[in-house]
Amino acid sequence: MAHTTAIVLCNKIFIFSKFCEYFHFIKYKYFLYATQNKNSLHIRNPYKVPAKKVIFHYMRLYYFLVLAIFAFVACTEDSPSSPHSTVEKGQAYTFQVDSSYFINKFGTSHFKVVFRNELDNSAIFIENHGNEDVMKILDLGVNAYHFQFSPDGSKLAYCTTFEGSADSSDLYVLDLNSKKSKPVKLDAPFAAIPRWRMLENGDTAIVYVSNAASDLAPEWEQSATWQVVFKDGNFGKPKKLFDGSYHGGVAYDNSFAVTGAPRLFMYTAKDNAYTDLYNDEQVCNVSLARDSSKIFSFLDATGKMGEQFTNDPKYWWHKYIFFMNENGEIIKAISSPGTSVFDTPEWINIPNYEVGVLGTADGDVNQLVLIDVENSNVDIILVVDKDKYQIWHPDIWIEPKK
């Protein structure tokens, strides 16, 4: 689209330059006739080239430079790849649902998808409006993890390490609506696993942790959970919420927070303490709902509590997404289809829905799913070429009903 626009503009400018060239020829014609006894211009013309040709060559060079400048500006401003993304060559993905699926469920066909490609560490972004979708590779300049769209879908937060890692991490926000903006970095010594939230005063903020390490590591209790307002394209001053890095999220009223790598801990503000909710058994991918329901989900590694709740002889590692309330009670479990297992499920901006990935027995994670928690439905939304993409840390933003 942008390349075609630039070519059309170039053609128009070329035609205009020809017109200007002719105009300047007429303008100088009288001068040439008036100096017939001087068939050549000698100023800056030591080889005595006919004056008519000198003028033509100068004018042609001048307008060619104008043409080049206009073409460069057109390609730069109109291109969707400028400056923070490049358009993917070829579409190695297929949507398994059409626009009617989203319209029937959400009243819109406008949605955005982002995920980390584990094969080359790139960030893949897809936007769909109707049945038209565009795939981009975001040029973030860093190794990015834990993507999350802002509530209005205009911005994307991410960090540079993953849950369970003690490596250093920075936190960034990218404005998806601006073609000229660069990612904004939070000025903090360590910031990971960003989660957007709306404050009571209407400000948009990000909750993050100062260490993404395992909650069994010595440095976990020395870390903290923080909040920072992001407004007008800039970060505010970070505010400490409480000690301990609660990767899974903080309740909208700050009454509790959860984490799960590898133990399922809940911090309660009234007790100023945390407890283990899963009998000291291993969990991961804890995610607290973004609304006021105070429900959080997680995956387990064949724990006794999960086995007893499902009463499924085929119960297995990551086979179920479990849902727990603020009282620490399992209230629901949703099974993955067939022989597949879940990976990296996260709540999205629409209440009662999660996004996740299905993994196969071969270890491939190339199917993106939308999970209807209320009705326990798992719908495959997107399938990518497993030889080119392996999905990790996905998020999906769906335009809310107005």
Side-chain angles (χ1 to χ4, degrees):
M1 178 70 74
H3 181 66
T4 304
T5 303
I7 292 176
V8 171
L9 183 59
C10 287
N11 287 335
K12 290 182 178 180
I13 295 174
F14 181 75
I15 294 173
F16 176 72
S17 69
K18 284 295 184 181
F19 169 78
C20 292
E21 200 173 82
Y22 177 74
F23 171 78
H24 279 274
F25 168 69
I26 297 298
K27 180 179 178 180
Y28 283 98
K29 187 175 182 181
Y30 175 78
F31 169 77
L32 291 174
Y33 278 123
T35 56
Q36 289 182 2
N37 61 327
K38 296 180 181 180
N39 191 39
S40 301
L41 294 179
H42 296 278
I43 300 177
R44 295 184 183 180
N45 185 18
Y47 299 104
K48 297 185 179 182
V49 178
K52 180 178 176 181
K53 290 186 178 181
V54 172
I55 294 171
F56 266 29
H57 281 298
Y58 270 106
M59 293 310 303
R60 191 181 298 273
L61 176 62
Y62 172 77
Y63 287 111
F64 175 78
L65 291 174
V66 172
L67 170 65
I69 293 172
F70 270 90
F72 174 79
V73 171
C75 291
T76 302
E77 292 187 351
D78 196 50
S79 172
S81 63
S82 172
H84 56 249
S85 61
T86 54
V87 178
E88 172 78 341
K89 300 294 184 182
Q91 296 185 343
Y93 66 96
T94 56
F95 279 102
Q96 304 301 296
V97 295
D98 58 19
S99 60
S100 63
Y101 171 87
F102 286 90
I103 292 173
N104 292 336
K105 278 183 172 291
F106 310 108
T108 182
S109 59
H110 184 204
F111 64 91
K112 302 175 182 181
V113 173
V114 66
F115 62 87
R116 170 184 168 83
N117 181 14
E118 275 293 275
L119 294 185
D120 61 6
N121 302 329
S122 61
I124 306 299
F125 173 78
I126 304 173
E127 183 169 9
N128 184 287
H129 211 313
N131 282 322
E132 297 181 2
D133 51 84
V134 177
M135 185 180 201
K136 301 177 183 179
I137 301 176
L138 298 181
D139 183 14
L140 302 179
V142 296
N143 206 355
Y145 303 85
H146 294 283
F147 299 103
Q148 192 173 86
F149 290 109
S150 62
D152 65 357
S154 66
K155 298 173 182 62
L156 183 67
Y158 54 94
C159 63
T160 58
T161 196
F162 54 91
E163 183 181 46
S165 170
D167 293 342
S168 62
S169 178
D170 293 314
L171 191 156
Y172 295 85
V173 170
L174 174 68
D175 188 343
L176 297 170
N177 290 342
S178 175
K179 297 177 181 178
K180 296 184 178 181
S181 70
K182 294 182 179 179
V184 181
K185 179 183 175 181
L186 174 64
D187 185 12
F190 191 110
I193 314 180
R195 296 183 180 276
W196 295 89
R197 68 191 313 203
M198 296 295 297
L199 304 183
E200 290 183 354
N201 64 359
D203 285 342
T204 304
I206 295 176
V207 171
Y208 67 94
V209 298
S210 64
N211 199 308
S214 159
D215 51 26
L216 296 181
E219 57 265 38
W220 182 82
E221 290 190 352
Q222 301 170 8
S223 62
T225 300
W226 295 74
Q227 174 179 288
V228 62
V229 171
F230 189 81
K231 189 176 183 180
D232 298 327
N234 295 292
F235 286 105
K237 183 178 180 180
K239 174 186 175 183
K240 182 179 176 180
L241 297 180
F242 29 73
D243 292 328
S245 292
Y246 290 88
H247 311 157
V250 178
Y252 73 98
D253 59 358
N254 292 344
S255 60
F256 74 92
V258 288
T259 190
R263 298 294 182 261
L264 182 55
F265 290 159
M266 172 188 279
Y267 167 88
T268 53
K270 65 178 182 179
D271 300 323
N272 192 27
Y274 66 88
T275 55
D276 189 320
L277 300 178
Y278 210 61
N279 293 340
D280 204 34
E281 295 180 322
Q282 184 175 341
V283 302
C284 63
N285 299 120
V286 176
S287 176
L288 179 62
R290 303 189 198 182
D291 58 16
S292 60
S293 65
K294 296 186 176 181
I295 297 174
F296 53 95
S297 63
F298 61 92
L299 302 175
D300 77 344
T302 61
K304 292 181 180 179
M305 287 183 66
E307 184 177 12
Q308 292 173 358
F309 185 85
T310 61
N311 194 27
D312 182 359
K314 296 182 180 180
Y315 166 77
W316 186 240
W317 181 85
H318 286 203
K319 181 62 180 175
Y320 284 87
I321 302 177
F322 292 96
F323 297 85
M324 188 174 279
N325 61 22
E326 61 181 317
N327 298 320
E329 302 165 334
I330 299 178
I331 59 175
K332 196 181 192 74
I334 297 178
S335 174
S336 59
T339 59
S340 64
V341 293
F342 286 114
D343 196 13
T344 57
E346 284 280 352
W347 294 91
I348 67 171
N349 67 304
I350 302 296
N352 294 317
Y353 282 89
E354 285 198 333
V355 66
V357 185
L358 293 183
T360 67
D362 297 328
D364 293 319
V365 281
N366 67 319
Q367 298 180 85
L368 187 75
V369 294
L370 191 63
I371 302 151
D372 181 345
V373 177
E374 183 176 1
N375 299 303
S376 300
N377 292 331
V378 179
D379 295 328
I380 299 175
I381 301 299
L382 177 74
V383 176
V384 297
D385 185 340
K386 65 180 181 180
D387 294 325
K388 294 183 178 181
Y389 307 99
Q390 294 287 299
I391 304 173
W392 205 26
H393 293 162
D395 192 24
I396 181 169
W397 176 87
I398 301 173
E399 184 176 12
K401 290 183 179 179
K402 296 181 180 179

